[in-house]
Amino acid sequence: MAIPRFATVEEAISTLKPIEPIYALQPAKFKAAAVRFLDSFPGTPMYAVKANPAPLVLDQVWDAGIRHFDTASLGEVRMIKTRFPDAVCHFMAPVRLTGHAKAAFEDFGVTDFVVDSDYELDKLLGEIPDHSKIRVFVRLAAALGGALLELSSKFGTNPEEGARLLKRVVAAGAKPAITFHVGSQCLSSFSYAQAVEIVRRAIDRSGVKITALDIGGGFPAPYLNNDVPPYLWYFDTIREAIDTLEIPGLPLYCEPGRALVAEGVSVITQVVSRKNDRLYLNDGTYGSFDELTLPGFDADYPNRVFTRDAMGRVMPLAGKTKPYRVYGPTCDTLDVLPRPQMLPESITPGDFIVFDAMGAYTVAVRTTFNGFWNDTWIELDG
Ligand SMILES: Cc1ncc(COP(=O)(O)O)c(C=O)c1O
């Protein structure tokens, strides 16, 4: 689908004079993010669709060269295979609705599944009787601490239980594999090495030769207040850690969501009203800003402010900044960004705040609460 394309954000604002929030796609940033993984990750990256399933974003990810997808529900499998029939989907959720593994296998050719309990393994083996066709990843819990959002208290088991499950997978005639997730927005490359050590324990205890390792997602986006290490540190650490497993040729996967889409989307918002140091925007926590409210999430999106001069020309609003409380447009008191935002002292209603790196867990989780919903997308060259 062709969408309006502009050379710069100034040109977009000046042409559209947007009253409602706008999602601005930057193809060059999607490309750069994908190339980072395709060129330097020592295995196959799958895009974790949940981070942003908007069709225009999926197209960007596909055009950037990603062909494997972490689809964690039948709905995501269907969405991806309908849009990209040649895509390879991996059903990487450890708990699936009844019958959904069977449908993914029979209708869409999915052969990779995850389990972290006997119950889910039994269910999977029951739904797909030809076990030799499937690869079963046992999900291990990773050590907590390196990431803003942990993903190991709900899913994942310990090396002892993991070893037992691996042996059951082999006994059933399926291909054994292991996965983990170090948590999202992981700021410590060492977390991956720690998790690989847990993998080693499960392998040693089971005596099973695994056929693949999937190190999950977690790679960070460049948010404010977060010190994001260079990506090569992650890839080097992962490579070194995996070498110590001494399984030559072990197929390796990762499941980046945030890292593939965050930087490719900016949201152009408008200041609707101001009361001293309180600003009211046309977007808020029931819209694109939900993730900022998650417990432990202490990052903010980088922002740039634009204003219009007397001639209507759009230009950056510079000058001294100060902290503002920033509210969303709904009637709910909770619709407020959790931390004050540093913005120019002279900001006024009608000005625009462009929030960058907003491609992940924004569009995916927004609501229609209170009648606020806009789905305008544009493309930016710059
Ligand atoms: C199983 C799984 N894989 C991948 C991801 C993507 O993680 P991230 O966006 O941190 O890369 C998630 C996020 O919830 C997940 O649960």
Side-chain angles (χ1 to χ4, degrees):
M1 187 177 78
I3 54 172
R5 189 169 181 134
F6 301 93
T8 63
V9 76
E10 285 93 333
E11 187 193 318
I13 293 173
S14 136
T15 309
L16 302 171
K17 302 176 185 58
I19 301 295
E20 301 197 56
I22 288 188
Y23 294 100
L25 296 168
Q26 290 142 89
K29 294 196 174 169
F30 281 102
K31 287 242 157 57
V35 162
R36 200 188 268 156
F37 280 88
L38 293 169
D39 284 2
S40 304
F41 177 72
T44 306
M46 318 171 183
Y47 170 52
V49 173
K50 64 177 79 67
N52 195 331
L56 291 166
V57 167
L58 295 178
D59 289 349
Q60 293 286 335
V61 171
W62 181 265
D63 291 346
I66 300 292
R67 295 292 177 267
H68 289 253
F69 292 81
D70 157 22
T71 40
S73 66
L74 184 59
E76 288 185 354
V77 173
R78 188 178 292 119
M79 182 195 302
I80 294 299
K81 290 299 279 185
T82 305
R83 201 163 188 86
F84 314 115
D86 294 337
V88 184
C89 287
H90 309 257
F91 204 143
M92 301 314 278
V95 173
R96 288 165 299 276
L97 305 199
T98 305
H100 282 195
K102 179 181 167 67
F105 176 76
E106 288 179 0
D107 301 344
F108 301 105
V110 176
T111 54
D112 279 347
F113 298 90
V114 180
V115 300
D116 65 355
S117 68
D118 285 305
Y119 184 80
E120 284 298 323
L121 179 57
D122 289 339
K123 203 165 92 187
L124 176 65
L125 297 174
E127 287 187 17
I128 304 175
D130 188 351
H131 303 158
S132 68
K133 293 257 166 40
I134 56 172
R135 189 162 57 172
V136 182
F137 289 76
V138 172
R139 168 105 168 234
L140 298 177
L144 305 183
L148 262 55
L149 304 172
E150 62 89 4
L151 283 165
S152 281
S153 61
K154 178 174 178 183
F155 295 130
T157 189
N158 59 39
E160 294 75 20
E161 277 298 294
R164 207 175 50 69
L165 288 170
L166 282 171
K167 286 198 266 191
R168 282 203 57 204
V169 170
V170 173
K175 297 179 206 69
I178 293 183
T179 186
F180 58 76
H181 198 305
V182 295
S184 201
Q185 188 69 3
C186 180
L187 299 175
S188 164
S189 55
F190 183 64
S191 295
Y192 291 87
Q194 272 182 301
V196 170
E197 195 47 39
I198 291 168
V199 168
R200 178 207 308 289
R201 281 182 219 156
I203 293 173
D204 287 351
R205 289 208 161 107
S206 66
V208 164
K209 187 165 186 294
I210 58 168
T211 61
L213 176 62
D214 172 359
I215 62 156
F219 302 94
Y223 300 137
L224 289 182
N225 317 325
N226 272 187
D227 248 342
V228 175
Y231 266 70
L232 284 179
W233 291 12
Y234 288 81
F235 298 152
D236 287 348
T237 308
I238 289 163
R239 199 180 285 110
E240 265 181 48
I242 286 168
D243 280 352
T244 68
L245 293 178
E246 294 182 351
I247 311 176
L250 178 67
L252 184 67
Y253 298 87
C254 64
E255 304 169 4
R258 189 185 302 282
L260 285 179
V261 294
E263 290 173 78
V265 184
S266 297
V267 181
I268 304 173
T269 67
Q270 190 175 38
V271 181
V272 177
S273 199
R274 174 174 176 175
K275 295 180 200 161
N276 299 319
D277 57 0
R278 289 190 286 169
L279 294 182
Y280 297 76
L281 297 195
N282 57 2
D283 201 351
T285 62
Y286 288 92
S288 317
F289 291 82
D290 169 80
E291 195 176 38
L292 299 190
T293 67
L294 297 183
F297 199 91
D298 62 3
D300 281 307
Y301 303 116
N303 69 60
R304 298 175 278 156
V305 180
F306 295 88
T307 193
R308 277 181 291 190
D309 67 8
M311 311 286 291
R313 281 177 306 222
V314 176
M315 57 192 58
L317 182 64
K320 211 165 154 224
T321 59
K322 66 173 202 160
Y324 289 87
R325 205 85 184 131
V326 176
Y327 293 88
T330 71
C331 295
D332 195 335
T333 307
L334 294 179
D335 188 4
V336 57
L337 303 195
R339 289 163 294 280
Q341 304 290 303
M342 294 303 291
L343 295 161
E345 283 182 345
S346 60
I347 194 167
T348 54
D351 288 343
F352 297 90
I353 310 180
V354 177
F355 291 92
D356 292 317
M358 283 198 71
Y361 307 108
T362 48
V363 181
V365 288
R366 70 194 158 139
T367 73
T368 57
F369 177 57
N370 212 170
F372 292 98
W373 172 268
N374 191 43
D375 209 28
T376 305
W377 294 77
I378 62 168
E379 238 172 64
L380 291 180
D381 292 336

